[in-house]
Amino acid sequence: TAVEPASPASGAGLRVGDVVVAVDGETVETAQRCADLLRAAYGERDVRLLVRSRRGQRFVVLENEARMF
């Protein structure tokens, strides 16, 4: 419902209305499952998301924040 400015999601190009359909190749059926997968990877590695939007599907990568500093 929102994409925080200056967040990894914003940096990866996610926009309001985008729907994450897979995290690192694992299909997500619920927002909770998506959050769990992202939380497990946070700070450990880059995460590849399959995202659906009005313009179709695309892959985006959330970069490992630990490497960004």
Side-chain angles (χ1 to χ4, degrees), residues 14 27 29 46 55:
L14 291 176
T27 302
E29 300 292 333
D46 292 349
R55 291 180 270 160

Side-chain angles (χ1 to χ4, degrees), residues 5-68:
S7 68
S10 175
L14 291 176
R15 295 177 289 279
V16 172
D18 288 348
V19 177
V20 176
V21 295
V23 175
D24 283 339
E26 185 171 333
T27 302
V28 293
E29 300 292 333
T30 66
Q32 183 61 53
R33 182 65 180 145
C34 182
D36 291 344
L37 291 168
L38 291 172
R39 195 172 299 113
Y42 184 78
E44 297 293 321
R45 57 185 164 75
D46 292 349
V47 179
R48 185 175 175 195
L49 306 177
L50 177 59
V51 178
R52 184 178 63 230
S53 69
R54 291 183 302 221
R55 291 180 270 160
Q57 290 189 352
R58 69 188 188 286
F59 286 100
V60 298
V61 175
L62 298 181
E63 291 186 1
N64 176 356
E65 288 191 340
R67 289 186 314 155
M68 298 173 79

